[in-house]
Amino acid sequence: MLFSISLVAENIFQAGGMPITNSLFTTWIGIIIVSCIVFFGCRKLKIKPRGLQSVLEELYLFFENLCESVLGDKKTARKAVPFIATIFIFVFSANIFEIIPGVGSIGFFETVADGRKLIPLFRPGSSDLNFTIALAIISVIATQIVGLKTLGLGYLKKFFNFSNPLQFFVGLLELVSEFAKIISFSFRLFGNIFAGEVLLAVFLMLIPYLVPVPFYGLELFVSVVQAFVFAMLTLVFMKVAMVPHSGEAH
């Protein structure tokens, strides 16, 4: 069994002159699957939910209660639920592909300088740093929008405070910390999923039968945890952005 381990996502075809990588292609598949699940689960809504509708409603209620516990207000929580739940589902759908058989091993060979290289058709989106950086940027921008919408232009005083030299320096640190969140978000998710992908590939090549099974369970757990951590940190940072700078200092 052959696997491809590469830090960079490989191009598999082009669409309208734009190169499509295996990680992007797999992410699209995940989006289609999730969209179909939601469509069929909500197609015929019933007062007493059953089956897939019941699962989707329980998932929504879980995130609604989570948002309310963090934000402290039900009205605000209901506004945050769609974004936070979407982040979790999107990241999880990207993560889960690492444990699906054939991902990383089904593909085609390409001739390179030192021989032939396997180009897999499928690769977990989260194992591509471009994916995680883009998602981190979206999360941080959404946090700033929440802060501006809640506090108005006064939110900017958190970063640009000219009242005294100390506050100005603290503001610069706050500004740097916002950019640091992008690095922290992206590399945490990328590192965990890529490491899991490598771990599974190594065990499947060395001991391809029963021994890797517990690691599949471990990676499933990691996929859920990393998706939840990403969504939870976004929610917490939104809560922090909603607090006036003076109140935060107090």
Side-chain angles (χ1 to χ4, degrees), residues 119-144:
I119 306 297
L121 287 175
F122 310 103
R123 175 176 179 165
S126 306
S127 65
D128 183 357
L129 193 56
N130 293 307
F131 173 95
T132 58
I133 290 177
L135 199 59
I137 291 173
I138 292 172
S139 175
V140 171
I141 290 176
T143 300
Q144 310 313 312

mmCIF file of all heavy atoms in Angstrom, residues 119-144:
data_model
loop_
_atom_site.group_PDB
_atom_site.id
_atom_site.type_symbol
_atom_site.label_atom_id
_atom_site.label_comp_id
_atom_site.label_asym_id
_atom_site.label_seq_id
_atom_site.Cartn_x
_atom_site.Cartn_y
_atom_site.Cartn_z
ATOM 1 N N ILE A 119 0.604 10.980 -6.582
ATOM 2 C CA ILE A 119 -0.179 12.194 -6.350
ATOM 3 C C ILE A 119 -1.569 11.755 -5.907
ATOM 4 O O ILE A 119 -2.380 11.311 -6.735
ATOM 5 C CB ILE A 119 -0.282 13.066 -7.613
ATOM 6 C CG1 ILE A 119 1.108 13.376 -8.181
ATOM 7 C CG2 ILE A 119 -1.047 14.346 -7.312
ATOM 8 C CD1 ILE A 119 1.982 14.188 -7.253
ATOM 9 N N PRO A 120 -1.877 11.842 -4.610
ATOM 10 C CA PRO A 120 -3.196 11.384 -4.148
ATOM 11 C C PRO A 120 -4.317 12.296 -4.612
ATOM 12 O O PRO A 120 -4.151 13.517 -4.698
ATOM 13 C CB PRO A 120 -3.047 11.412 -2.619
ATOM 14 C CG PRO A 120 -1.966 12.391 -2.350
ATOM 15 C CD PRO A 120 -1.028 12.335 -3.519
ATOM 16 N N LEU A 121 -5.462 11.705 -4.938
ATOM 17 C CA LEU A 121 -6.614 12.495 -5.350
ATOM 18 C C LEU A 121 -7.285 13.183 -4.160
ATOM 19 O O LEU A 121 -7.915 14.224 -4.308
ATOM 20 C CB LEU A 121 -7.640 11.594 -6.050
ATOM 21 C CG LEU A 121 -7.295 11.112 -7.453
ATOM 22 C CD1 LEU A 121 -8.340 10.131 -7.951
ATOM 23 C CD2 LEU A 121 -7.172 12.288 -8.406
ATOM 24 N N PHE A 122 -7.145 12.573 -2.990
ATOM 25 C CA PHE A 122 -7.825 13.091 -1.801
ATOM 26 C C PHE A 122 -6.808 13.364 -0.695
ATOM 27 O O PHE A 122 -5.890 12.579 -0.473
ATOM 28 C CB PHE A 122 -8.869 12.091 -1.297
ATOM 29 C CG PHE A 122 -9.787 11.598 -2.380
ATOM 30 C CD1 PHE A 122 -9.619 10.334 -2.923
ATOM 31 C CD2 PHE A 122 -10.812 12.396 -2.864
ATOM 32 C CE1 PHE A 122 -10.454 9.870 -3.922
ATOM 33 C CE2 PHE A 122 -11.656 11.944 -3.857
ATOM 34 C CZ PHE A 122 -11.474 10.675 -4.390
ATOM 35 N N ARG A 123 -7.021 14.483 -0.005
ATOM 36 C CA ARG A 123 -6.175 14.847 1.122
ATOM 37 C C ARG A 123 -7.005 15.700 2.081
ATOM 38 O O ARG A 123 -7.736 16.597 1.629
ATOM 39 C CB ARG A 123 -4.962 15.641 0.644
ATOM 40 C CG ARG A 123 -4.103 16.167 1.776
ATOM 41 C CD ARG A 123 -2.869 16.869 1.258
ATOM 42 N NE ARG A 123 -2.067 17.375 2.366
ATOM 43 C CZ ARG A 123 -0.819 17.776 2.255
ATOM 44 N NH1 ARG A 123 -0.214 17.736 1.076
ATOM 45 N NH2 ARG A 123 -0.151 18.221 3.298
ATOM 46 N N PRO A 124 -6.943 15.435 3.387
ATOM 47 C CA PRO A 124 -7.728 16.244 4.337
ATOM 48 C C PRO A 124 -7.428 17.732 4.197
ATOM 49 O O PRO A 124 -6.262 18.133 4.127
ATOM 50 C CB PRO A 124 -7.274 15.711 5.698
ATOM 51 C CG PRO A 124 -6.740 14.350 5.438
ATOM 52 C CD PRO A 124 -6.150 14.402 4.061
ATOM 53 N N GLY A 125 -8.463 18.544 4.133
ATOM 54 C CA GLY A 125 -8.263 19.979 3.980
ATOM 55 C C GLY A 125 -7.433 20.580 5.088
ATOM 56 O O GLY A 125 -6.614 21.478 4.866
ATOM 57 N N SER A 126 -7.603 20.059 6.305
ATOM 58 C CA SER A 126 -6.897 20.611 7.465
ATOM 59 C C SER A 126 -5.409 20.315 7.451
ATOM 60 O O SER A 126 -4.654 20.914 8.223
ATOM 61 C CB SER A 126 -7.501 20.058 8.760
ATOM 62 O OG SER A 126 -8.888 20.287 8.797
ATOM 63 N N SER A 127 -4.971 19.391 6.599
ATOM 64 C CA SER A 127 -3.538 19.092 6.507
ATOM 65 C C SER A 127 -2.848 20.001 5.500
ATOM 66 O O SER A 127 -1.675 19.805 5.188
ATOM 67 C CB SER A 127 -3.322 17.619 6.117
ATOM 68 O OG SER A 127 -3.814 17.373 4.812
ATOM 69 N N ASP A 128 -3.594 20.976 4.990
ATOM 70 C CA ASP A 128 -3.045 21.980 4.081
ATOM 71 C C ASP A 128 -2.989 23.314 4.831
ATOM 72 O O ASP A 128 -4.016 23.811 5.300
ATOM 73 C CB ASP A 128 -3.927 22.100 2.838
ATOM 74 C CG ASP A 128 -3.371 23.081 1.813
ATOM 75 O OD1 ASP A 128 -2.333 23.711 2.079
ATOM 76 O OD2 ASP A 128 -3.990 23.219 0.746
ATOM 77 N N LEU A 129 -1.799 23.878 4.964
ATOM 78 C CA LEU A 129 -1.628 25.111 5.738
ATOM 79 C C LEU A 129 -2.423 26.275 5.140
ATOM 80 O O LEU A 129 -2.851 27.171 5.864
ATOM 81 C CB LEU A 129 -0.140 25.464 5.833
ATOM 82 C CG LEU A 129 0.257 26.539 6.852
ATOM 83 C CD1 LEU A 129 -0.215 26.172 8.250
ATOM 84 C CD2 LEU A 129 1.763 26.750 6.853
ATOM 85 N N ASN A 130 -2.636 26.266 3.838
ATOM 86 C CA ASN A 130 -3.448 27.318 3.217
ATOM 87 C C ASN A 130 -4.871 27.319 3.774
ATOM 88 O O ASN A 130 -5.460 28.377 4.008
ATOM 89 C CB ASN A 130 -3.498 27.120 1.694
ATOM 90 C CG ASN A 130 -2.148 27.328 1.036
ATOM 91 O OD1 ASN A 130 -1.517 28.347 1.232
ATOM 92 N ND2 ASN A 130 -1.696 26.349 0.276
ATOM 93 N N PHE A 131 -5.403 26.133 3.976
ATOM 94 C CA PHE A 131 -6.756 25.982 4.524
ATOM 95 C C PHE A 131 -6.840 26.557 5.934
ATOM 96 O O PHE A 131 -7.734 27.350 6.253
ATOM 97 C CB PHE A 131 -7.132 24.493 4.525
ATOM 98 C CG PHE A 131 -8.435 24.175 5.206
ATOM 99 C CD1 PHE A 131 -9.605 24.065 4.475
ATOM 100 C CD2 PHE A 131 -8.489 23.954 6.576
ATOM 101 C CE1 PHE A 131 -10.809 23.755 5.093
ATOM 102 C CE2 PHE A 131 -9.680 23.652 7.207
ATOM 103 C CZ PHE A 131 -10.846 23.547 6.458
ATOM 104 N N THR A 132 -5.909 26.162 6.786
ATOM 105 C CA THR A 132 -5.968 26.576 8.193
ATOM 106 C C THR A 132 -5.698 28.071 8.358
ATOM 107 O O THR A 132 -6.309 28.725 9.203
ATOM 108 C CB THR A 132 -4.971 25.762 9.038
ATOM 109 O OG1 THR A 132 -3.645 25.928 8.532
ATOM 110 C CG2 THR A 132 -5.316 24.283 8.997
ATOM 111 N N ILE A 133 -4.782 28.623 7.543
ATOM 112 C CA ILE A 133 -4.502 30.065 7.616
ATOM 113 C C ILE A 133 -5.729 30.858 7.185
ATOM 114 O O ILE A 133 -6.113 31.847 7.825
ATOM 115 C CB ILE A 133 -3.281 30.434 6.763
ATOM 116 C CG1 ILE A 133 -1.995 29.891 7.400
ATOM 117 C CG2 ILE A 133 -3.177 31.944 6.594
ATOM 118 C CD1 ILE A 133 -0.734 30.153 6.591
ATOM 119 N N ALA A 134 -6.367 30.436 6.084
ATOM 120 C CA ALA A 134 -7.563 31.131 5.602
ATOM 121 C C ALA A 134 -8.663 31.100 6.651
ATOM 122 O O ALA A 134 -9.333 32.116 6.914
ATOM 123 C CB ALA A 134 -8.040 30.492 4.298
ATOM 124 N N LEU A 135 -8.850 29.946 7.279
ATOM 125 C CA LEU A 135 -9.889 29.817 8.308
ATOM 126 C C LEU A 135 -9.550 30.666 9.527
ATOM 127 O O LEU A 135 -10.437 31.283 10.132
ATOM 128 C CB LEU A 135 -10.023 28.349 8.708
ATOM 129 C CG LEU A 135 -11.318 27.938 9.408
ATOM 130 C CD1 LEU A 135 -12.527 28.247 8.528
ATOM 131 C CD2 LEU A 135 -11.286 26.466 9.762
ATOM 132 N N ALA A 136 -8.271 30.729 9.892
ATOM 133 C CA ALA A 136 -7.846 31.555 11.025
ATOM 134 C C ALA A 136 -8.075 33.034 10.745
ATOM 135 O O ALA A 136 -8.520 33.786 11.621
ATOM 136 C CB ALA A 136 -6.371 31.291 11.334
ATOM 137 N N ILE A 137 -7.793 33.464 9.522
ATOM 138 C CA ILE A 137 -8.016 34.861 9.150
ATOM 139 C C ILE A 137 -9.504 35.199 9.230
ATOM 140 O O ILE A 137 -9.894 36.261 9.737
ATOM 141 C CB ILE A 137 -7.473 35.137 7.728
ATOM 142 C CG1 ILE A 137 -5.939 35.060 7.740
ATOM 143 C CG2 ILE A 137 -7.924 36.499 7.229
ATOM 144 C CD1 ILE A 137 -5.307 35.153 6.367
ATOM 145 N N ILE A 138 -10.360 34.297 8.745
ATOM 146 C CA ILE A 138 -11.809 34.513 8.818
ATOM 147 C C ILE A 138 -12.257 34.638 10.270
ATOM 148 O O ILE A 138 -13.055 35.520 10.624
ATOM 149 C CB ILE A 138 -12.556 33.360 8.121
ATOM 150 C CG1 ILE A 138 -12.308 33.407 6.617
ATOM 151 C CG2 ILE A 138 -14.052 33.424 8.414
ATOM 152 C CD1 ILE A 138 -12.843 32.202 5.867
ATOM 153 N N SER A 139 -11.730 33.777 11.125
ATOM 154 C CA SER A 139 -12.085 33.803 12.546
ATOM 155 C C SER A 139 -11.680 35.118 13.203
ATOM 156 O O SER A 139 -12.467 35.734 13.940
ATOM 157 C CB SER A 139 -11.424 32.627 13.269
ATOM 158 O OG SER A 139 -11.646 32.693 14.661
ATOM 159 N N VAL A 140 -10.459 35.573 12.938
ATOM 160 C CA VAL A 140 -9.962 36.807 13.543
ATOM 161 C C VAL A 140 -10.722 38.022 13.008
ATOM 162 O O VAL A 140 -11.080 38.928 13.770
ATOM 163 C CB VAL A 140 -8.446 36.958 13.302
ATOM 164 C CG1 VAL A 140 -7.957 38.337 13.723
ATOM 165 C CG2 VAL A 140 -7.677 35.873 14.057
ATOM 166 N N ILE A 141 -10.999 38.051 11.711
ATOM 167 C CA ILE A 141 -11.753 39.168 11.139
ATOM 168 C C ILE A 141 -13.164 39.216 11.720
ATOM 169 O O ILE A 141 -13.681 40.294 12.062
ATOM 170 C CB ILE A 141 -11.809 39.046 9.597
ATOM 171 C CG1 ILE A 141 -10.427 39.312 9.001
ATOM 172 C CG2 ILE A 141 -12.825 40.027 9.016
ATOM 173 C CD1 ILE A 141 -10.359 39.128 7.495
ATOM 174 N N ALA A 142 -13.789 38.052 11.859
ATOM 175 C CA ALA A 142 -15.131 38.001 12.452
ATOM 176 C C ALA A 142 -15.112 38.527 13.880
ATOM 177 O O ALA A 142 -16.044 39.221 14.315
ATOM 178 C CB ALA A 142 -15.659 36.569 12.415
ATOM 179 N N THR A 143 -14.042 38.218 14.619
ATOM 180 C CA THR A 143 -13.908 38.715 15.993
ATOM 181 C C THR A 143 -13.832 40.238 16.018
ATOM 182 O O THR A 143 -14.465 40.893 16.852
ATOM 183 C CB THR A 143 -12.646 38.118 16.645
ATOM 184 O OG1 THR A 143 -12.750 36.692 16.660
ATOM 185 C CG2 THR A 143 -12.493 38.612 18.069
ATOM 186 N N GLN A 144 -13.076 40.814 15.089
ATOM 187 C CA GLN A 144 -12.961 42.281 15.032
ATOM 188 C C GLN A 144 -14.296 42.916 14.661
ATOM 189 O O GLN A 144 -14.655 43.977 15.192
ATOM 190 C CB GLN A 144 -11.889 42.693 14.019
ATOM 191 C CG GLN A 144 -10.549 41.994 14.156
ATOM 192 C CD GLN A 144 -10.026 41.958 15.579
ATOM 193 O OE1 GLN A 144 -10.013 42.960 16.280
ATOM 194 N NE2 GLN A 144 -9.583 40.780 16.011
#
